[in-house]
Amino acid sequence: MKVLNKSKLIEALNVLSSQQEVFVPIQRESQSGYFSWADYQPERDELMLEALNVYQSPKNVVLPQTERMYGIISQGMEVDIDQTFEDAHPTLIFGARGCDVKGILAMDEVFLTRGFVDSFYQARRANNTIVANACYAPGPNCFCTAMEVDPVEPVGADVIIHDCGDYYAWEARTGKGEAVTAQLDGLLEDKEVKLPSAQPFQLQVDYQGVAEKLKDMFDHSLWDQMAEPCINCGMCTYVCPSCYCFDIQVKMFGEKGYRFRAWDSCMFEEYTREAGGGNPRGASKERFRQRFLHKLEFFQERYGTPLCTGCGRCIIVCPTDVNIARIIKAVKEAEVE
Amino acid sequence: MKEITEQIQTIAARLFEEGKIDIFIAWEQGELDFQTKAYVARSKEDAKNLVFNEYAIYNTANMLLKFRDGHERIGIAVKGCDSRGIVRLLEDLQIKRERLYIVGIPCPGLKDPLAAARNYGGFNRQTEPDSLAGKCLECIQPNPVICDEIIGPEQSPRQQGDRFARVKEMEQMTPDERYDFWEKTLSTCIRCYACRQVCVACDCRTCIFDEMKPQWVGRESSTTDNMMYHLVKHAHMAGRCIECGECERVCPVNIPLMLLNQKLIKDVGAFYGGPEAGLQYVEGAKPPLSVYRIDDPDSFL
Ligand code: SF4
Ligand code: SF4
Ligand code: SF4
Ligand code: SF4
Ligand code: SF4
């Protein structure tokens, strides 16, 4: 098997970085997320490939928090589109965990299938390669296996690397993966490898039948109880690797301007506010319920897989200790008439 | 803290029994030690779930906003910082004093459950787990400023040295240096608005950032819109921030928000004097910058 010796990791990242923009998990001062290797400064940044995961998921690479769509010129009643901002520069996500890869696969479903193709997303995704970092030691909030993710051999990865102590075992899985492997020609070595053994999950979550059961639980009292502490801050949706909602807005400077889209969250009040002022999800509980129903029921119904990937991020960020694993359990145990 | 827990439970049970309250707001223990969260007890039986422990840091006053339109009579447990939040809500006429039965807890200083959760979860670089939360190390008012009943002995403020040292350091910078600092810092804000949602002083029914007609501040996570968000949000905090530190504590990308708040606290103090936000409740009194007068000496207003 091919291996990448850890002593050559920095060199490898530099080589990859010369061919495409490489995003790696980094702790930057007090923040952690996927940042561009080109901005890496050793005195400020710490590479986090050995940590379980980072706070901000790599979804930003394929669905930037803010992206310009097209430029506008308006003259009187006439409006012209003068340019589009399709971004197709090649990118590589290096070291994504299986849960985060699944997040991107979920977005692929939304933006590329069922006859609705989002050209902006498509352009970026077509030029995006994923090197996944296999997980052998799940953290205490991980429950990806319950959400159809294989943490050791994640579907959707172009290359999978396996941390074997002094080196990473390197396994190309797709054509894109082969291409990236070729870029590292001379840096990868051949070696007999012994892969680590996977440790058990500490958190046990049983998602079986939850989507089905939720169909009859829209008005269940469980939502009142669960939503009580939630302050609808939206952090959980912004750190989530699979939440993909966005809003399209416009910025005009005199006669010129542009349309852009920016992440949005179903936890926000104006997300569902209608032009006339009405709001079908005016109450905090209704927004809370939407988030969990979308994750656990609606997406499953439409795409045959849950929208939660079990990464555990929302559990860690929530200031009021809302915990999706506990919600799944509560749904399982709830009595429905 | 065990005694405090017992006393909260006893007091809440008594209030339910006497028919004095419909709900009691305090904290509840989650599965793990640090998973302590706000909790609303609705009966004498529920009162058994109430706790106060070293992670009971969440500002309970914020929970009152969920009940501002109702008629429930509310028992509520507050620490020093939480009690200042209650004063703010009373001043802003968000809730009536007669609806509240306030149980005060002089606060010994607490730990941050979010820091503990990060350490436990294996995300981020590990931080020092055993120290008190930053906001508690800076606390000037651990004792409740308003309450009907108090549990335990008074505590002394933990804030040491020059309270505004960090602010003064910033004031020494040139405008360009300061601008660069904030441009760099605020450009990483992800605009999740958690800092607003967790803030008890942010009690507007429709926040300016949620207004769509017109939209005052764009949604772009660009330096311009991010700066605009923070300028406006923090300007609105002048004379209102009760220094509970919740915004900075919950921010997922660790923006040093209290630096902005502290600058405003310092300036409002210097310009208008008087007690700081939420330190004193006088019925009908208005904090600085919240009165409208036709003959205001400043023509701009
Ligand atoms: S949720 Fe699964 S894939 Fe994600 S970090 Fe944990 S073990 Fe790895
Ligand atoms: S992070 Fe927690 S409090 Fe904030 S919106 Fe999500 S569930 Fe609600
Ligand atoms: S949970 Fe909410 S924010 Fe996330 S994708 Fe679903 S509707 Fe959008
Ligand atoms: S809902 Fe929570 S646990 Fe599930 S993928 Fe999103 S952040 Fe991760
Ligand atoms: S909580 Fe932090 S990231 Fe979120 S809007 Fe406030 S400053 Fe920005």
Side-chain angles (χ1 to χ4, degrees):
Chain A
M1 201 179 213
K2 286 210 179 343
V3 304
L4 173 66
N5 206 305
K6 283 189 186 167
S7 61
K8 294 193 180 146
L9 178 63
I10 302 283
E11 203 185 333
L13 289 171
N14 288 336
V15 170
L16 294 172
S17 205
S18 66
Q19 306 286 316
Q20 59 257 305
E21 189 171 14
V22 178
F23 293 87
V24 277
I26 279 178
Q27 171 93 41
R28 172 165 296 167
E29 288 162 355
S30 62
Q31 307 185 345
S32 79
Y34 281 80
F35 300 122
S36 179
W37 181 249
D39 300 333
Y40 177 79
Q41 291 171 19
E43 60 291 351
R44 173 190 68 180
D45 300 331
E46 189 183 326
L47 197 53
M48 294 289 278
L49 286 167
E50 316 254 323
L52 177 73
N53 211 336
V54 283
Y55 233 37
Q56 289 173 265
S57 86
K59 76 172 167 190
N60 205 15
V61 178
V62 290
L63 187 71
Q65 176 153 14
T66 296
E67 91 180 286
R68 287 189 193 189
M69 304 173 84
Y70 53 84
I72 307 164
I73 299 182
S74 84
Q75 270 155 341
M77 297 299 282
E78 295 289 305
V79 178
D80 263 334
I81 293 179
D82 67 342
Q83 56 180 325
T84 49
F85 296 100
E86 226 159 71
D87 170 14
H89 85 286
T91 54
L92 173 74
I93 300 170
F94 191 97
R97 295 296 187 179
C99 47
D100 291 349
V101 178
K102 171 79 191 291
I104 293 175
L105 290 189
M107 288 192 276
D108 286 350
E109 294 284 349
V110 176
F111 292 119
L112 302 175
T113 72
R114 314 289 151 117
F116 300 98
V117 174
D118 181 304
S119 58
F120 299 94
Y121 181 88
Q122 190 182 37
R124 259 193 317 273
R125 189 66 176 101
N127 294 292
N128 163 255
T129 308
I130 301 174
V131 175
N133 189 3
C135 280
Y136 288 93
N141 295 311
C142 293
F143 58 102
C144 58
T145 41
M147 309 318 277
E148 303 178 2
V149 173
D150 182 340
V152 173
E153 301 201 17
V155 178
D158 298 303
V159 173
I160 302 178
I161 57 174
H162 306 260
D163 191 336
C164 300
D166 294 336
Y167 58 87
Y168 288 106
W170 182 282
E171 197 191 336
R173 294 230 144 189
T174 64
K176 276 187 192 171
E178 297 288 356
V180 170
T181 308
Q183 291 174 16
L184 292 180
D185 196 28
L187 281 173
L188 299 176
E189 297 153 36
D190 277 308
K191 195 178 172 132
E192 186 99 350
V193 297
K194 189 172 174 318
L195 295 178
S197 48
Q199 285 161 32
F201 278 72
Q202 299 158 51
L203 183 63
Q204 299 300 328
V205 171
D206 180 8
Y207 175 66
Q208 284 297 314
V210 166
E212 270 297 300
K213 189 166 177 188
L214 279 170
K215 282 185 189 161
D216 299 318
M217 289 180 67
F218 192 77
D219 289 320
H220 201 279
S221 60
L222 172 138
W223 299 116
D224 295 298
Q225 198 195 332
M226 293 283 173
E228 185 126 65
C230 170
I231 52 172
N232 298 99
C233 67
M235 256 198 281
C236 48
T237 58
Y238 277 16
V239 298
C240 178
S242 61
C243 272
Y244 53 79
C245 284
F246 60 84
D247 191 15
I248 295 178
Q249 299 188 350
V250 74
K251 261 223 172 123
M252 292 302 289
F253 304 91
E255 289 174 345
K256 287 192 86 164
Y258 55 86
R259 260 191 194 274
F260 66 95
R261 63 176 171 191
W263 291 354
D264 200 354
S265 166
C266 59
M267 282 293 186
F268 296 158
E269 191 272 339
E270 87 273 26
Y271 178 93
T272 39
R273 198 191 299 148
E274 293 160 353
N279 194 339
R281 285 188 221 130
S284 164
K285 176 190 99 176
E286 291 157 359
R287 305 203 280 281
F288 180 93
R289 178 175 59 196
Q290 159 64 24
R291 168 157 159 78
F292 292 100
L293 288 185
H294 189 205
K295 291 275 157 206
L296 305 173
E297 181 196 344
F298 305 149
F299 200 84
Q300 175 79 42
E301 280 169 11
R302 185 167 166 85
Y303 299 106
T305 185
L307 185 57
C308 168
T309 74
C311 74
R313 276 193 186 82
C314 55
I315 301 177
I316 295 174
V317 294
C318 179
T320 67
D321 194 34
V322 170
N323 181 320
I324 189 166
R326 232 179 278 145
I327 290 176
I328 295 175
K329 187 156 173 259
V331 170
K332 270 286 220 209
E333 289 168 0
E335 281 177 32
V336 186
E337 291 132 42
Chain B
M1 303 222 188
K2 232 176 127 209
E3 299 88 74
I4 300 183
T5 294
E6 279 163 17
Q7 289 190 53
I8 297 179
Q9 293 182 353
T10 316
I11 293 170
R14 187 194 77 217
L15 292 169
F16 278 119
E17 210 158 69
E18 293 170 356
K20 288 212 173 111
I21 54 168
D22 304 303
I23 60 173
F24 193 95
I25 302 174
W27 305 270
E28 172 192 35
Q29 178 69 63
E31 274 160 58
L32 302 167
D33 276 359
F34 61 81
Q35 292 172 336
T36 303
K37 61 177 152 190
Y39 176 69
V40 183
R42 289 192 157 75
S43 65
K44 197 181 153 200
E45 286 66 49
D46 284 354
K48 296 193 189 76
N49 300 331
L50 299 169
V51 294
F52 182 76
N53 62 26
E54 56 180 2
Y55 289 105
I57 204 163
Y58 190 80
N59 187 340
T60 44
N62 185 285
M63 286 296 279
L64 288 176
L65 290 173
K66 293 210 172 208
F67 298 96
R68 62 178 153 186
D69 293 327
H71 297 283
E72 303 90 344
R73 289 158 308 156
I74 304 169
I76 182 168
V78 291
K79 311 180 287 292
C81 49
D82 308 346
S83 73
R84 294 178 64 182
I86 292 196
V87 172
R88 286 273 42 252
L89 295 177
L90 293 171
E91 283 174 345
D92 284 356
L93 310 177
Q94 294 303 307
I95 200 137
K96 289 210 166 73
R97 179 67 179 97
E98 2 3 319
R99 284 181 64 198
L100 303 177
Y101 188 92
I102 307 169
V103 179
I105 305 167
C107 177
L110 305 175
K111 296 180 185 171
D112 179 3
L114 290 168
R118 287 186 198 195
N119 276 334
Y120 173 78
F123 284 47
N124 283 42
R125 190 189 295 139
Q126 300 284 301
T127 51
E128 185 57 61
D130 284 329
S131 70
L132 291 186
K135 70 178 220 177
C136 294
L137 292 172
E138 295 297 316
C139 178
I140 60 159
Q141 185 63 47
N143 301 309
V145 295
I146 182 170
C147 67
D148 299 301
E149 194 165 337
I150 195 145
I151 304 179
E154 290 231 331
Q155 299 279 344
S156 35
R158 270 168 303 277
Q159 200 279 323
Q160 301 281 325
D162 184 356
R163 182 174 161 212
F164 295 113
R166 281 202 309 164
V167 176
K168 288 180 187 157
E169 226 174 87
M170 289 241 93
E171 289 170 346
Q172 295 309 315
M173 291 171 149
T174 65
D176 282 346
E177 284 168 349
R178 250 198 321 272
Y179 190 87
D180 287 347
F181 172 84
W182 285 112
E183 183 174 47
K184 180 174 150 267
T185 306
L186 297 178
S187 67
T188 59
C189 164
I190 60 171
R191 301 282 294 283
C192 61
Y193 297 156
C195 47
R196 171 190 72 179
Q197 291 304 101
V198 81
C199 177
V200 67
C202 274
D203 57 25
C204 298
R205 274 167 201 277
T206 304
C207 171
I208 182 169
F209 306 114
D210 292 345
E211 293 259 8
M212 285 294 159
K213 288 184 218 163
Q215 187 188 32
W216 301 97
V217 178
R219 228 332 145 55
E220 247 183 343
S221 52
S222 59
T223 310
T224 326
D225 283 359
N226 286 5
M227 279 197 162
M228 197 61 194
Y229 166 66
H230 286 280
L231 272 177
V232 177
K233 154 94 165 74
H234 287 274
H236 285 185
M237 288 302 109
R240 288 173 174 68
C241 167
I242 53 157
E243 235 186 334
C244 72
E246 286 291 87
C247 52
E248 183 170 300
R249 182 177 75 84
V250 304
C251 174
V253 293
N254 291 308
I255 309 272
L257 297 164
M258 288 310 285
L259 203 49
L260 291 166
N261 286 330
Q262 277 207 315
K263 164 72 176 157
L264 291 163
I265 291 169
K266 181 167 169 284
D267 284 357
V268 169
F271 292 144
Y272 306 101
E276 286 176 20
L279 274 183
Q280 201 180 80
Y281 179 56
V282 180
E283 213 180 321
K286 289 280 167 222
L289 297 168
S290 56
V291 220
Y292 173 74
R293 283 209 322 256
I294 280 280
D295 58 345
D296 198 288
D298 190 335
S299 58
F300 174 70
L301 297 171

